[in-house]
Amino acid sequence: MCWKSARRTVFVYVAMIWLSGNVAAAFAQSRPEAPPFDAARLTQQPPPPEGVAIRAGRLFDPRSGANLANQIIVIQGDRITDVGPADRVKIPTGARVIDLSNATVLPGLIDRHVHLMQDPEANEARALIVGQHYALADLYAGFTTLQDLNSAYTYATVDLRDAINKGMIVGPRLQVTGPALNPRGATAYPAPSDIIPFGQGPGIPAWQNSQNINSPWLARAAVREHSHYGTDWIKIYETEDFEGSGYPKPYGAGAFMPDGKMIDVPALSLEENQAIVDEAHRRGLKVACHAYGGEGLRICLEAGVDMPIHVIVGVTGAEGLDDETIRLFKKPLADGTLRPVNQTLWDLSGPLEQVDLRSSGGKKTRLALTELSFKRLVAAGVKQTFGSGSYITGHGVQAYQFGIYVKWGMSPAQALQMATSNAAESLNYDLGNYVGYVEKGRFADLVAVSGDPLADITEMERVKFVMKGGVVFRNEVK
């Protein structure tokens, strides 16, 4: 009997693995993986003193959601000085003319959720070099502005941003959080031999876990630290990704219980969140909040964070969200604006789907639930900002998400607005007044594709021209 019982157990175990693999194949969304990027592919052609004029056969206008035909864009230095129909706008004498009359020109794209520095083994120098390398891969793909939402092991994203802004090195425009405020882990951890506060032992060697934000006063202190070190944003990890004990968890980490229930245990109290938001806003910083749903999402929204991230299930745990979640999104922030949402796709697909399927017994994935919540938020009029969650092999290929947005019911124009006007609107400080549109007075951040993305959104995966601040970094338009 023991042998039969053991054989039956082995059979069931093998069947579960086989089934989860086949379910994964059925449910998993494919995502592109970027090959190693060769920075030598970038050109660097600064504008001449006489300026630059671009002939645009089609110019995407995020305000109308339409293409404007036969436009001239005049650039002096790093700014657009005029734009309009070719029969009205005069090309300055001596200006370099770039002919994109057979292409579609768009504002430089904005990815509001990337991770440029994710290597726990890297020293500060290596982190900075690798971070710039990934940033250049994104720039080459047309993303002229990035928001880095957590460099868990370093504040070097601040130095990268500053070096780019000072012209010491090249790269996209950056807004950064530095290490996230993260009082939790991704799974259970072994207890250290010595009495050490969580996050400061040898098992969790990360800035993001070390800041001891276990009261409103300590939370304020952590925000002050970030402010002194020069971040633009604060990021909070609001929900736990695991529940209960056990190390290691079978099949690795995941965000689901075996019955398919999403794990969204609050990582912080309302009072701690309110202290973070208040202290950040007093210091001119904005707050982003990683929250899958449930009570953690409710706390995040009630505390007044500026940009919730993921929002996979509702504040009641409802798949496809619920009326209460929409009500909280519709409640204006203290400055009278309505907050957007940032829902990532690249980082939730691929291997993470396999992890989710194993932990949920083949029932659920974060990506599948994101589709449901995405549709509900769009229908409710909540603005979506483009975010990929790209790290390591995701940099430079995130434009594939445009096709998914259209597949999920958006028009191509709405999908493009996510990475232009919508993404620009809620950036910190006044940067949003200078990116996201092709208009007089804004930065000369432009991309171009050969075809018309309003007719075929996958054109965005084949960017041929990239300009940031008047400097041409890529021109393969024929």
Side-chain angles (χ1 to χ4, degrees), residues 18-359:
W18 178 87
L19 179 60
S20 68
N22 281 271
V23 172
F27 287 146
Q29 297 265 4
S30 62
R31 74 175 190 189
E33 304 283 340
F37 176 67
D38 182 0
R41 297 165 69 186
L42 284 164
T43 61
Q44 194 172 349
Q45 300 172 359
E50 298 81 7
V52 173
I54 294 178
R55 298 184 185 275
R58 294 173 298 273
L59 174 61
F60 176 69
D61 172 30
R63 294 194 190 278
S64 64
N67 286 331
L68 306 177
N70 197 20
Q71 302 284 297
I72 299 292
I73 305 165
V74 180
I75 298 161
Q76 187 69 42
D78 64 354
R79 303 296 177 102
I80 298 169
T81 57
D82 201 2
V83 59
D87 60 1
R88 181 186 68 77
V89 176
K90 182 179 178 181
I91 295 177
T93 302
R96 177 191 298 155
V97 177
I98 298 176
D99 187 7
L100 301 177
S101 55
N102 293 321
T104 302
V105 178
L106 306 95
L109 304 176
I110 304 168
D111 189 338
R112 294 289 302 275
H113 193 147
V114 300
H115 300 286
L116 297 173
M117 302 180 188
Q118 290 289 294
D119 184 359
E121 304 300 324
N123 59 27
E124 295 294 279
R126 178 174 173 81
L128 191 63
I129 292 168
V130 172
Q132 188 203 18
H133 180 77
Y134 290 143
L136 291 176
D138 291 329
L139 178 65
Y140 189 75
F143 290 88
T144 55
T145 299
L146 303 175
Q147 183 170 358
D148 187 287
L149 278 174
N150 185 27
S151 53
Y153 305 97
T154 178
Y155 275 96
T157 50
V158 173
D159 300 289
L160 176 60
R161 177 204 64 200
D162 291 350
I164 292 170
N165 289 344
K166 293 175 182 177
M168 299 168 65
I169 59 177
V170 299
R173 305 183 195 284
L174 287 178
Q175 292 203 337
V176 304
T177 66
L181 297 186
N182 189 357
R184 46 128 233 185
T187 186
Y189 290 91
S193 299
D194 300 318
I195 302 173
I196 301 171
F198 176 79
Q200 298 180 25
I204 320 171
W207 264 101
Q208 67 171 0
N209 293 117
S210 69
Q211 292 165 92
N212 189 22
I213 51 176
N214 291 302
S215 73
W217 314 113
L218 291 172
R220 285 185 184 274
V223 172
R224 290 173 190 148
E225 177 183 284
H226 279 66
S227 175
H228 293 320
Y229 291 156
T231 69
D232 309 292
W233 284 71
I234 300 295
K235 181 182 179 182
I236 312 166
Y237 276 92
E238 193 63 58
T239 52
E240 302 278 3
D241 292 357
F242 76 102
E243 183 174 286
S245 61
Y247 180 84
K249 183 175 178 179
Y251 310 124
F256 296 94
M257 298 296 284
D259 63 0
K261 177 184 178 295
M262 182 153 219
I263 300 170
D264 46 31
V265 179
L268 291 167
S269 69
L270 176 61
E271 293 78 12
E272 288 164 337
N273 273 274
Q274 289 170 328
I276 289 169
V277 171
D278 180 63
E279 193 68 30
H281 288 175
R282 288 175 60 201
R283 294 171 174 271
L285 308 181
K286 287 191 171 185
V287 182
C289 163
H290 164 114
Y292 286 142
E295 189 62 22
L297 176 59
R298 180 188 294 278
I299 288 170
C300 163
L301 294 172
E302 289 183 347
V305 302
D306 299 282
M307 188 175 70
I309 305 166
H310 301 308
V311 188
I312 293 173
V313 299
V315 297
T316 66
E319 297 177 7
L321 306 188
D322 44 58
D323 291 343
E324 178 66 0
T325 302
I326 300 303
R327 183 190 72 79
L328 289 167
F329 263 101
K330 292 288 189 177
K331 183 179 179 180
L333 294 170
D335 63 2
T337 63
L338 293 176
R339 63 188 130 211
V341 64
N342 185 263
Q343 293 186 290
T344 63
L345 303 186
W346 189 90
D347 60 340
L348 299 186
S349 55
L352 202 56
E353 287 181 280
Q354 309 299 322
V355 169
D356 286 347
L357 287 165
R358 287 195 294 268
S359 65

